[in-house]
Amino acid sequence: MATVVQAVRMALHVGEDRLGVTDIFGEDIGPPLGGAFTQTQGLRTAWNSPLDERGIIGTAIGLALAGQKPVCEIQFCDYIFNTIDLLKIAGNTLWSSNGQWNVPMVCITPVGSGIRGSIYHSHSFDATATHIPGWKVVMPSNPLDAYGLMLSAIVDPNPVMYLLPKALMRTRALPEELIPGEPGDDKALSKMIDAPLGDRTQWRAEWPDTPNLFVPIGKANVLRQGEHVTVISCGRLVREAMRASDELRAEGVSVEVIDLRSLYPYDWDAIKSSVRKTHRVLVVNEDTEITNFGEHLIRRIVEELFYELYAPPRLLAGAFVPGIGLADNLEHASVPQRSQMVTLLRELASHEP
Amino acid sequence: MSMTTTEATTHGAVGADDTSIAPELLLQMHAHMVTARVLEERLITMYRQGDGYFWIGGPGEEAFNVPLGMLVHKGEGIAYDYLHLHYRSSGTLVALGADPVDSLRQMKNTATDPYSGGRNFGSHYSVKRWNVVPVSSPIEVQYSMCTGTAIAQKRAGSKGITIVQGGDAGTAEGDFATCLVWSSRKGHESPVLIIVTNNRYGISTPWEGQHGEERVSDRGKAFGMPTVTIDGNDPETSYHAIKKAMDYVRTEKKPYLLEVMVSRLHGHSSASGANFVTNERDCLKDFEAKLEARGLRTRKEMDEMRAKVTQELLEASKRVREEPQPEGSTIYDHIFADKNYVAGER
Ligand SMILES: Cc1ncc(C[n+]2csc(CCOP(=O)(O)OP(=O)(O)O)c2C)c(N)n1
């Protein structure tokens, strides 16, 4: 069973092998390391860039304008903030040129907390990324989606921001998340595509034959059907939401779990039908709560589905504090915890108008 | 240090007295310079008369920007030169063959504006078929983007090069360093002609007091690239310097830093009034004196040329005034290419 990071790597291989990817680049992306999280080991088109985030985004834009298909990486989203004006340009070039130039690039950036990354390895980027028009924004929660969303990002003719939850990198696929063609056996896969320790100069990856399996951008995944309350989340917190729903099941509370997968465009149809069914909704993400993408979803739910609601929609998001402190207690107090989800979902489920 | 243009000339490796350019080419250059100048004057007038919200442009830079446009290997795709320009590049566009009336359309933000459909300021060009990538207002970002087109060209073994241009004050931005660093990586050098047009000002802030380096071109030396500072007020000097730099970049596939001393004849933009300044060299006036002295064009011919273009653009501006404005409902157009694109559904 592939891990998320292996899934990303296999998708990038498919990208350069048959979907036209010309460049996979960023800090420590090429040999010998192959990415701070090993996500680009063994890839033919991977190369190391200077330590210059603006240069990385700028070069990706230039490559895209020249008809190439670049996949660039900002090593941690904590370091993407000095590129925002360039991200805006990637997002507005088609519009400002009145349709002349599209910018088909992918930007991968690891996001979020959960690895005790302290102040500068725990940032989220979804609130900011979804505030930049012209970008599609995706965030996988498991290896299969990591694979399929990457393929979709690669073939998309627009800039796509691929938010990769750091805490999920070593998360293994559940049986239903198996990528077709991968050996299934962890050791066998590792032997094929994980670079060995020590001298890697002679090493070549042996890629399993995996298919063009696209997870469409803009389509959510209703992971679990439920009756009483809906939880909408993405990335790392999806599995937490599933566990919260497991806990509540014992109490007779039936929770519908939606994994957004795409933040923009987002799957309004999936949200709408779920709210019409359960009439109660909790939105969960770990970016800071002011101003938060979940707030947008709730605004739209209130405006368009007001008379469907049996309870005020709730947002569970990161605390609006300048950083995530290193100590366990500090991190726990800063980002949504499963126990909070359970409490809120329980409250919502029993709320009557 | 005084950054006079004469001093800059002698600093350069290219002599201003090189007269080997064919007379027909000089006359063509002059015609483009006249068109570019008159175009800027018309744009300023349009702004003054309420036919545009903002003016920024390149009067005073024609002696460099026109030869640049004439020397570009023009076309679409990586086989040709890419141009990452800024908002003073009308002269280059005119020399490439752009219709000046289209600049009036962008000034008047009409739906017919081929560069941005009425979305962007004047002189913010974008011409896909000539590899003129969209000019955007943030200073210096083009220096971070140009490395991408250059890498693509080098990889393809193309004859095309990447040309990037911006002002002197903007070189304080990190993007300028990005360009120097990325284009000169050992073993991965890329074909970028890095141009800085130095008019010795930001908006109002003078060069003096903001820069520790003697010249912008000096910064290229640390990266092992050829650098030169030239007198951009002389079109012949410019022509030779650009040609030499382009030849180097095209054959060596490596970067070259070209600093060009230019004038700013109507101030920074309409925000500072756009009035003609009398204390800077006027490249068109100087060039016309030369052409006259060499017997290539008479004063009368030149006056007539200018009057003719002036009249044409005046009439064109009246026509443009009647062209449709973009509809408000079009704001959602062109946010995404192929806007219903869903991977796997094709
Ligand atoms: C990133 C950014 N900062 C500030 C501005 C506002 N601004 C517009 S032009 C300008 C001065 C630019 O001077 P220089 O680079 O020398 O170019 P010039 O206009 O003189 O040709 C400034 C500060 C801007 N457009 N972009």
Side-chain angles (χ1 to χ4, degrees), chain B residues 199-227:
Chain B
N199 59 23
R200 291 159 292 121
Y201 289 100
I203 291 179
S204 69
T205 305
W207 164 277
E208 288 81 15
Q210 303 301 331
H211 294 264
E213 75 275 33
E214 282 278 298
R215 298 173 185 285
V216 175
S217 60
D218 289 342
R219 293 180 64 184
K221 292 178 186 163
F223 296 87
M225 62 182 76
T227 75

Side-chain angles (χ1 to χ4, degrees), chain A residues 185-315:
Chain A
D185 176 66
D186 301 349
K187 286 220 177 68
L189 181 62
S190 174
K191 213 162 170 289
M192 292 171 81
I193 67 167
D194 290 344
L197 297 174
D199 182 20
R200 295 168 170 182
T201 44
Q202 299 310 310
W203 174 73
R204 298 283 174 275
E206 188 198 325
W207 298 102
D209 188 12
T210 54
N212 288 4
L213 191 149
F214 298 100
V215 169
I217 296 178
K219 294 271 192 305
N221 189 8
V222 183
L223 274 176
R224 178 170 292 166
Q225 302 278 343
E227 290 161 41
H228 304 132
V229 57
T230 299
V231 54
I232 301 171
S233 193
C234 60
R236 177 177 78 86
L237 293 172
V238 168
R239 281 197 183 179
E240 292 300 297
M242 287 294 274
R243 292 193 187 111
S245 135
D246 290 342
E247 284 182 34
L248 286 163
R249 191 185 273 169
E251 299 174 22
V253 176
S254 164
V255 180
E256 179 141 312
V257 182
I258 297 184
D259 178 359
L260 278 178
R261 303 197 290 201
S262 290
L263 299 183
Y264 200 86
Y266 57 88
D267 191 344
W268 177 243
D269 287 343
I271 296 171
K272 194 165 57 181
S273 29
S274 185
V275 172
R276 284 198 170 132
K277 180 165 71 164
T278 66
H279 310 286
R280 303 173 179 90
V281 62
L282 170 68
V283 182
V284 187
N285 66 57
E286 59 177 290
D287 210 335
T288 46
E289 61 178 325
I290 304 170
T291 308
N292 182 287
F293 179 66
E295 291 182 333
H296 163 73
L297 296 180
I298 289 177
R299 190 268 288 172
R300 190 159 175 200
I301 290 167
V302 168
E303 282 187 1
E304 297 189 26
L305 302 169
F306 187 77
Y307 294 105
E308 298 285 347
L309 292 169
Y310 291 176
R314 296 295 300 265
L315 174 70

Side-chain angles (χ1 to χ4, degrees), chain B residues 86-88 137-139 167-170 173 199 201-203 268:
Chain B
H86 70 151
Y87 46 65
R88 304 207 189 278
S137 295
I139 294 298
D168 53 296
E173 298 276 7
N199 59 23
Y201 289 100
I203 291 179
H268 176 74

Side-chain angles (χ1 to χ4, degrees), chain A residues 23 52 59 68 95 100 158, chain B residues 119 147 155 178 182 331 337:
Chain A
D23 299 82
D52 174 16
T59 299
Q68 312 296 294
W95 191 90
Q100 287 181 67
N158 299 288
Chain B
R119 292 177 172 194
T147 46
R155 180 162 53 212
T178 289
W182 285 64
I331 58 169

Side-chain angles (χ1 to χ4, degrees), chain B residues 30 33 37 58-66 231-235 238 261-265 276 280-291 306:
Chain B
H30 171 249
M33 286 172 69
R37 177 66 59 86
E61 296 193 9
E62 297 90 347
F64 180 82
N65 291 343
V66 163
D231 175 11
N233 268 314
D234 184 88
S238 297
M261 304 308 296
V262 293
S263 297
R264 195 175 74 165
L265 289 181
F276 187 75
E280 299 207 24
R281 267 175 69 195
D282 178 344
C283 60
L284 182 56
K285 198 168 150 212
D286 291 2
F287 189 41
E288 293 197 334
K290 247 191 208 174
L291 292 180
R306 191 153 175 161

